[in-house]
Amino acid sequence: MSNQSSMNHRYGVRPNLRANVWTRMSLGLIILFSMSVIFYASTAEAAGPELGVTAQKAWETVLSKADSQTKLSLQRAYENVGNWTTQEQAWEQKTKTIHAANSKELEQLRVSIRQIDDAKIAGLTEKVKQTEARYEPLFALYSSVNRQLNAAKAIKNKEWSAAIRTQADTLKPVVQLAREDIRFKKKELAEARKRKSTEVKRLRTLLAGADSVKKQIQTGKKQASLWRERYSNALQQFKQSTKQGQSSRLLSSLNSLAAAAEKWAGSKQHIYTLEQKVSVTYAKVSQELTKRSK
């Protein structure tokens, strides 16, 4: 009996069972390794730039023919492009969200500024109307008395003139107080309107502080469009390089593509930062309005 058979017999291990165990372990390792390879490949593919079917096949062909070090460099550069384009998309979405919020906030702030002290002014306006209406009979009576006095003077009726003058003299101080009351209330109304005009102008000036930032945003958008165009051109160059199948040229194309993608993502991040500045300005105006309401 061989030494191996003696050992199997000594430890009670049956040859067939031992072979099955090794077979299962080997299959498990193979499956695990295959899954990891598939996962890595799918991740690398998902992380890279968007390619058409033809370019994707050409890319995979280059990878399959490259040595391990070159393949690793190509895959890293490929993933680098994908990372930057992913960031660009994330900044784009965040910018859309904050821009929509800013637009809505601006609309609300404009309405709030326009309506500053409207209730107070409406109340003062109503007071003026009510006061004028309350004194209207007094003014009408006083005008009537003065007309009678003029008529009495015209016919030179001294007794009538004296009686009417006494009535006019009695009404005169009351009428003066009534007119003073109306003037005071109109002055209150005028001052309230003036304060509103001053405050509206101040807040609109504060709100307009975001205009310079908005101009920077427009400039930023033009810059982002420029980098998007450069990225598109670099992507076309990369696709052409995949057809040529030269690893060195392909790596150079990927690096150029990554550089363009980085600038593109950076320009989108800059636009988002500017939108945040707009939000800060609007928040300040909102705080000022809140203070007034307290």
Side-chain angles (χ1 to χ4, degrees), residues 169-232:
D169 290 343
T170 301
L171 289 173
K172 186 175 181 178
V174 180
V175 170
Q176 288 178 340
L177 288 174
R179 286 173 176 169
E180 185 64 26
D181 189 18
I182 292 173
R183 279 196 296 270
F184 177 76
K185 286 182 170 57
K186 284 184 176 180
K187 183 180 179 182
E188 279 188 319
L189 176 59
E191 289 177 347
R193 285 173 173 168
K194 184 178 179 179
R195 284 194 299 270
K196 171 177 177 168
S197 178
T198 301
E199 187 65 3
V200 166
K201 184 178 180 180
R202 184 182 76 87
L203 292 176
R204 283 178 176 170
T205 300
L206 185 59
L207 196 63
D211 290 348
S212 60
V213 182
K214 290 180 180 179
K215 289 181 180 179
Q216 294 178 46
I217 289 175
Q218 294 304 315
T219 301
K221 287 182 177 180
K222 291 179 181 179
Q223 192 67 31
S225 296
L226 177 62
W227 284 115
R228 180 183 61 186
E229 183 179 352
R230 291 184 179 180
Y231 174 83
S232 297

Side-chain angles (χ1 to χ4, degrees), residues 124-192:
L124 291 173
T125 302
E126 186 61 26
K127 279 186 178 181
V128 171
K129 290 181 180 179
Q130 291 176 353
T131 302
E132 288 177 334
R134 185 169 67 251
Y135 291 130
E136 185 176 351
L138 174 63
F139 295 150
L141 175 60
Y142 188 61
S143 296
S144 176
V145 170
N146 282 323
R147 284 194 300 270
Q148 292 178 42
L149 180 59
N150 292 332
K153 288 179 180 180
I155 64 176
K156 299 180 180 181
N157 188 326
K158 294 182 179 180
E159 294 181 358
W160 188 27
S161 294
I164 296 299
R165 185 180 300 278
T166 299
Q167 188 176 3
D169 290 343
T170 301
L171 289 173
K172 186 175 181 178
V174 180
V175 170
Q176 288 178 340
L177 288 174
R179 286 173 176 169
E180 185 64 26
D181 189 18
I182 292 173
R183 279 196 296 270
F184 177 76
K185 286 182 170 57
K186 284 184 176 180
K187 183 180 179 182
E188 279 188 319
L189 176 59
E191 289 177 347

Side-chain angles (χ1 to χ4, degrees), residues 15-259:
N16 291 339
L17 179 58
R18 191 167 185 273
N20 289 337
V21 170
W22 279 107
T23 300
R24 290 174 183 176
M25 289 179 64
S26 299
L27 287 174
L29 289 173
I30 292 172
I31 292 172
L32 181 61
F33 176 78
S34 300
M35 290 178 65
S36 64
V37 170
I38 293 171
F39 173 78
Y40 177 82
S42 61
T43 302
E45 181 178 350
E50 295 182 1
L51 301 176
V53 176
T54 302
Q56 183 65 39
K57 288 182 178 179
W59 163 249
E60 292 172 355
T61 300
V62 172
L63 286 181
S64 65
K65 294 180 180 179
D67 58 73
S68 58
Q69 185 59 44
T70 302
K71 182 177 181 180
L72 181 60
S73 298
L74 288 171
Q75 287 176 327
R76 284 177 176 175
Y78 185 85
E79 291 172 359
N80 194 26
V81 174
N83 290 335
W84 286 119
T85 55
T86 299
Q87 288 189 40
E88 181 277 325
Q89 293 169 4
W91 287 120
E92 173 69 14
Q93 185 57 49
K94 291 177 70 174
T95 300
K96 285 183 179 179
T97 301
I98 193 173
H99 178 73
N102 283 342
S103 298
K104 184 177 180 180
E105 180 69 8
L106 176 60
E107 182 179 351
Q108 293 175 344
L109 288 173
R110 283 174 174 170
V111 172
S112 298
I113 291 173
R114 188 169 60 249
Q115 294 177 345
I116 282 177
D117 291 344
D118 274 1
K120 183 177 183 180
I121 291 174
L124 291 173
T125 302
E126 186 61 26
K127 279 186 178 181
V128 171
K129 290 181 180 179
Q130 291 176 353
T131 302
E132 288 177 334
R134 185 169 67 251
Y135 291 130
E136 185 176 351
L138 174 63
F139 295 150
L141 175 60
Y142 188 61
S143 296
S144 176
V145 170
N146 282 323
R147 284 194 300 270
Q148 292 178 42
L149 180 59
N150 292 332
K153 288 179 180 180
I155 64 176
K156 299 180 180 181
N157 188 326
K158 294 182 179 180
E159 294 181 358
W160 188 27
S161 294
I164 296 299
R165 185 180 300 278
T166 299
Q167 188 176 3
D169 290 343
T170 301
L171 289 173
K172 186 175 181 178
V174 180
V175 170
Q176 288 178 340
L177 288 174
R179 286 173 176 169
E180 185 64 26
D181 189 18
I182 292 173
R183 279 196 296 270
F184 177 76
K185 286 182 170 57
K186 284 184 176 180
K187 183 180 179 182
E188 279 188 319
L189 176 59
E191 289 177 347
R193 285 173 173 168
K194 184 178 179 179
R195 284 194 299 270
K196 171 177 177 168
S197 178
T198 301
E199 187 65 3
V200 166
K201 184 178 180 180
R202 184 182 76 87
L203 292 176
R204 283 178 176 170
T205 300
L206 185 59
L207 196 63
D211 290 348
S212 60
V213 182
K214 290 180 180 179
K215 289 181 180 179
Q216 294 178 46
I217 289 175
Q218 294 304 315
T219 301
K221 287 182 177 180
K222 291 179 181 179
Q223 192 67 31
S225 296
L226 177 62
W227 284 115
R228 180 183 61 186
E229 183 179 352
R230 291 184 179 180
Y231 174 83
S232 297
N233 293 336
L235 181 60
Q236 291 302 318
Q237 183 61 44
F238 168 68
K239 290 179 179 179
Q240 289 296 325
S241 297
T242 58
K243 295 178 182 179
Q244 295 172 1
Q246 296 180 12
S247 299
S248 58
R249 181 171 294 183
L250 191 58
L251 183 58
S252 176
S253 296
L254 277 173
N255 289 332
S256 298
L257 186 59

